[in-house]
């Protein structure tokens, strides 16, 4: 039976805590929570996160908003460039190049399919997860080197880190001097109930796949944030 990893919530700064919970909501909102009987739990978490989010300044009114948009556009442009180059190798001569490109594209689709529809925070998380694969899994590292794409991949990593750092600068400068701990506790409780129900349904449901898909994606987000 699949289980949800433990998130190190106590170690997250306020901005990281909020980002993590928004990432969690993105995972659930991509699924049919009504059919999965998780709609009420997701709604409760969403409301609690919204209440906590009110301690941050409106994103559109913050001085770093324009810079965040530029940084986000840059990383997505580079990501599209990486994808186009890999696709071009599929139509060139050379079986080895095609094999390497297909290997990377498969991993790309696993992480970044429909990335444009995701929130800023979720984009950051999935890019981190993909880039971690591309820099630690031997077969993917070899494929990147064989296709002479390391410089471009390094640039994508740099751009994603620059966005992440700027995002947290905005969060840190927006947060009020004191945080009502009660609001964070409500989020923790709602998150715990949601994940417990997800695991329970995954254990007893006749169709476990939708729940297991959620668990897999949650674990990826949790691992990225814990790191």
């Amino acid at each position: 039976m699949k289980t949800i990893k433990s998130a190190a919530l106590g170690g997250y700064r306020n901005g990281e805590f909020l980002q993590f919970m928004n990432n969690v909501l993105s995972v659930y909102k991509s699924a049919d929570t009504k059919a999965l009987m998780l709609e009420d739990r997701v709604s409760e978490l969403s409301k609690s996160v919204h209440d906590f989010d009110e301690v941050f300044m409106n994103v559109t009114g913050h001085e770093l908003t324009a810079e965040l948009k530029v940084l986000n556009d840059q990383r997505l442009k580079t990501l599209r460039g990486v994808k186009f180059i890999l696709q071009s190798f599929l139509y060139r001569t050379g079986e080895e190049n095609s094999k390497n490109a297909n290997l990377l594209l498969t991993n790309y689709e696993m992480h970044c399919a429909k990335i444009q529809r995701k929130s800023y925070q979720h984009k950051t998380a999935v890019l981190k997860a993909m880039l971690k694969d591309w820099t630690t899994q031997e077969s993917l590292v070899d494929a990147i080197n064989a296709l002479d794409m390391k410089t471009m991949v390094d640039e994508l990593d740099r751009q994603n880190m620059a966005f992440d750092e700027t995002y947290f600068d905005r969060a840190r400068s927006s947060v009020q001097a004191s945080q009502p701990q009660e609001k964070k506790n409500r989020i923790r409780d709602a998150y715990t109930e949601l994940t417990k129900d997800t695991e329970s349904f995954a254990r007893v449901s006749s169709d476990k796949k939708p729940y297991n898909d959620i668990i897999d994606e949650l674990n990826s987000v949790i691992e990225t944030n814990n790191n």
Side-chain angles (χ1 to χ4, degrees), residues 135-174:
T135 54
T136 60
Q137 293 186 21
E138 186 176 355
S139 60
L140 298 177
V141 172
D142 290 344
I144 289 168
N145 290 332
L147 299 177
D148 195 23
M149 293 188 64
K150 186 176 185 305
T151 299
M152 196 168 190
V153 171
D154 287 346
E155 177 64 11
L156 178 60
D157 188 32
R158 185 196 65 76
Q159 290 173 345
N160 198 47
M161 287 192 295
F163 179 90
D164 200 24
E165 291 169 1
T166 303
Y167 180 88
F168 281 124
D169 282 343
R170 179 190 63 78
R172 282 192 292 268
S173 62
S174 298

Side-chain angles (χ1 to χ4, degrees), residues 71-108:
L71 291 171
N72 183 62
D73 290 345
Q74 286 176 346
R75 64 179 178 171
L76 292 184
K77 183 178 180 180
T78 302
L79 182 65
R80 286 194 298 271
V82 168
K83 183 178 182 181
F84 291 153
I85 291 173
L86 291 175
Q87 289 175 327
S88 72
F89 277 112
L90 300 179
Y91 300 99
R92 300 182 188 178
T93 58
E95 183 178 347
E96 193 63 25
N97 281 345
S98 179
K99 178 182 175 182
N100 286 326
N102 191 60
L103 185 65
L104 291 165
L105 281 169
T106 299
N107 187 268
Y108 173 98

Side-chain angles (χ1 to χ4, degrees), residues 18-33 42 45-46 49 114-115 117-126 191 194 213-214 217-218 221:
L18 181 59
Q19 174 179 335
F20 172 74
M21 290 301 172
N22 277 314
N23 289 344
V24 169
L25 286 170
S26 293
V27 170
Y28 278 97
K29 288 177 180 179
S30 66
D32 187 351
T33 55
V42 173
L45 178 60
S46 181
V49 170
K114 300 179 181 178
I115 190 173
R117 302 181 184 180
K118 302 182 186 298
S119 68
Y120 273 171
Q121 305 98 312
H122 203 175
K123 287 184 178 77
T124 302
V126 297
Y191 171 79
L194 175 57
D213 287 346
I214 289 175
E217 194 167 354
L218 278 179
V221 171

Side-chain angles (χ1 to χ4, degrees), residues 37-46 190 193-194 197:
M37 295 182 289
L38 295 171
E39 187 177 33
D40 289 344
R41 293 296 193 196
V42 173
S43 178
E44 179 60 31
L45 178 60
S46 181
E193 293 302 315
L194 175 57
D197 279 5

Side-chain angles (χ1 to χ4, degrees), residues 174-192:
S174 298
V175 71
Q176 292 179 351
S178 62
Q179 295 293 343
Q181 188 62 37
E182 182 183 351
K183 288 187 176 182
K184 290 185 73 173
N185 289 341
R186 284 204 299 270
I187 294 176
R188 285 172 177 264
D189 291 344
Y191 171 79
T192 299

Side-chain angles (χ1 to χ4, degrees), residues 193-209:
E193 293 302 315
L194 175 57
T195 52
K196 283 170 60 177
D197 279 5
T198 302
E199 287 183 332
S200 296
F201 284 129
R203 183 173 62 252
V204 303
S205 176
S206 58
D207 183 8
K208 303 179 186 303
K209 186 178 184 306

